[in-house]
Amino acid sequence: MSRYWSPFVKDLVPYVPGEQPKLSELTKLNTNENPYGPSPKVLEVIKAEATDALRLYPDPNSDVLRHAIADYHEVSIEQVFVGNGSDEVLAHIFHGLFQHNKPLLFPDISYSFYPVYCGLYQIPFETIPLDESFQIRIEEYRGINGGIIFPNPNAPTGCFLALSEIERLLTVNNETVVVIDEAYVDFGGESAISLVDRYPNLLVTQTLSKSRSLAGLRVGFAVGHPELIEALVRIKNSFNSYPLDRLAQLGAAASFADQDYFEQTCNAVIAERNTLMTRLAALDFQVLPSAANFVFCRHRNRDASELAASLREDGIIVRYFSMSRIDQYLRITVGRPEDSEVLFASLQRILAAT
Ligand SMILES: Cc1ncc(COP(=O)(O)O)c(C=O)c1O
């Protein structure tokens, strides 16, 4: 802390990202990255764009990319906003679309960046408990609010809420913006983008970090009514007009053109997730149903933080949250089959030791 800091910065509680270790030989199952690389077509486009043209600013509106997303999701380009990772898109939503005089509602167990943005933008919030099986109870979201947000599938649970439930919420909550954060939807969920034409207060966010294996490129987007998008553009152009560089815009657009690769890699992750869940259950873990590229599980009689520490000693990192209700759970990213082999060899050794 320095005497030059503003009082505001002194009180900020920032987000703590999952560890990005410098050692490459670790089995990294802690930040839900895709174990398969991006489409080779994306890499080709990025390499071709790495030219003298980098001296020029990129398109501030990312039109090529927004067109690609609009075509893919069958919406108009005016319904699409893009940002530097969906985290940036979410930040602008918190800033520009949630009311700052009434509490924002989100689940008690959810993406841990939401309370951080509330702190940054001075938004009051209320957390709504998931039920005892960690499912979202939509009827609890009916109170006065300045907006509603939750991930679907939820993180870190992986549980998916049916679109009919989201629609049930939208029919009663039409005074404030409802945001569905679909960072993991491509691994088995169903997107609420199909509802945006009917609900002008619905905004859906997605990322290219997970299912399109582009976490390092930093691209996310929102789809919703053009008036919601216009608010985000106003915020963007008051903050950073060029959030996406030339490589990111073209590389991201190219990923929407390689549907075969996208499907193949998503299917490989889904197949491995199902194997992982069965094998964890056989080792006495309780595993929540998952529609994401990670599983959330607890061992019936071993302490989760000790398990995470023992795995770490074997060079395997998983995510552990020291938080009420979930401090006995581990979140394990789905890797390649060979990553699972390393994980299970270690788990078997740890569980066999008394
Ligand atoms: C639920 C959820 N939303 C949004 C994000 C942000 O993703 P990105 O900023 O990489 O697009 C994450 C990242 O892990 C996430 O888990």
Side-chain angles (χ1 to χ4, degrees):
M1 188 162 321
S2 151
R3 67 193 170 98
Y4 300 114
W5 287 13
S6 73
F8 178 71
V9 169
K10 283 184 197 148
D11 291 340
L12 271 186
V13 184
Y15 176 72
V16 182
E19 182 186 356
Q20 294 295 349
K22 300 286 178 283
L23 302 169
S24 56
E25 64 273 17
L26 290 175
T27 301
K28 194 173 173 308
L29 304 176
N30 66 330
T31 48
N32 301 338
E33 285 136 333
N34 198 313
Y36 303 101
S39 152
K41 292 183 183 154
V42 169
L43 300 181
E44 256 172 54
V45 166
I46 291 176
K47 282 180 197 149
E49 182 65 6
T51 66
D52 191 49
L54 285 178
R55 71 194 174 78
L56 301 171
Y57 282 105
D59 173 8
N61 304 319
S62 301
D63 278 345
V64 169
L65 174 57
R66 285 169 57 238
H67 259 299
I69 295 169
D71 287 352
Y72 187 84
H73 285 293
E74 299 178 343
V75 293
S76 72
I77 185 170
E78 291 76 29
Q79 290 173 289
V80 179
F81 177 81
V82 294
N84 192 266
S86 57
D87 279 341
E88 188 186 72
V89 176
L90 290 169
H92 292 341
I93 292 169
F94 275 66
H95 204 174
L97 289 171
F98 292 145
Q99 302 306 310
H100 292 211
N101 57 353
K102 294 188 199 113
L104 177 69
L105 307 184
F106 52 84
D108 61 339
I109 299 165
S110 190
Y111 187 32
S112 41
F113 226 133
Y114 300 158
V116 174
Y117 288 136
C118 286
L120 180 62
Y121 295 117
Q122 310 271 282
I123 299 171
F125 66 90
E126 208 177 289
T127 57
I128 310 287
L130 298 180
D131 72 12
E132 50 306 328
S133 43
F134 287 160
Q135 306 301 315
I136 290 174
R137 288 183 289 204
I138 226 60
E139 53 280 2
E140 305 281 318
Y141 289 76
R142 292 196 169 169
I144 289 180
N145 65 77
I148 296 173
I149 184 166
F150 54 83
N152 196 31
N154 196 8
T157 64
C159 299
F160 179 70
L161 184 71
L163 283 198
S164 53
E165 289 294 283
I166 291 174
E167 224 177 332
R168 205 152 70 81
L169 172 67
L170 289 162
T171 52
V172 293
N173 193 94
N174 49 24
E175 290 297 319
T176 60
V177 172
V178 174
V179 177
I180 310 297
D181 174 353
E182 295 186 345
Y184 301 101
V185 75
D186 293 325
F187 299 107
E190 195 187 346
S191 177
I193 290 178
S194 59
L195 303 177
V196 295
D197 283 338
R198 276 188 285 141
Y199 298 96
N201 62 329
L202 169 65
L203 200 58
V204 179
T205 61
Q206 291 194 3
T207 177
L208 280 75
S209 299
K210 316 292 179 182
S211 56
R212 294 181 187 274
S213 198
L214 289 170
L217 206 61
R218 309 302 301 127
V219 183
F221 61 94
V223 177
H225 192 281
E227 283 175 8
L228 300 185
I229 301 302
E230 195 189 326
L232 299 178
V233 173
R234 288 172 74 119
I235 296 265
K236 172 193 88 101
N237 287 336
S238 309
F239 177 74
N240 174 10
S241 316
Y242 306 104
L244 289 187
D245 62 54
R246 302 177 81 93
L247 309 182
Q249 292 187 27
L250 291 184
S255 92
F256 288 95
D258 196 350
Q259 183 66 13
D260 286 350
Y261 186 84
F262 171 71
E263 283 175 17
Q264 260 171 40
T265 47
C266 284
N267 288 340
V269 169
I270 292 167
E272 188 54 29
R273 174 186 74 212
N274 297 340
T275 310
L276 193 63
M277 290 170 75
T278 311
R279 290 180 74 181
L280 284 167
L283 286 184
D284 242 2
F285 280 88
Q286 285 176 311
V287 190
L288 292 191
S290 172
N293 68 337
F294 55 84
V295 297
F296 202 53
C297 59
R298 68 178 292 167
H299 195 266
R300 283 180 208 277
N301 44 41
R302 299 297 281 266
D303 178 74
S305 69
E306 285 172 23
L307 278 179
S310 304
L311 286 168
R312 187 77 175 73
E313 280 167 23
D314 279 356
I316 301 159
I317 30 181
V318 298
R319 192 85 194 253
Y320 170 73
F321 300 90
S322 172
M323 275 173 60
S324 116
R325 288 190 82 188
I326 57 169
D327 63 352
Q328 283 311 315
Y329 281 81
L330 297 177
R331 192 194 70 189
I332 307 177
T333 302
V334 178
R336 292 170 187 254
E338 47 273 38
D339 299 318
S340 299
E341 290 316 318
V342 174
L343 171 72
F344 281 101
S346 171
L347 276 177
Q348 265 150 355
R349 189 193 59 73
I350 295 165
L351 295 172
T354 47

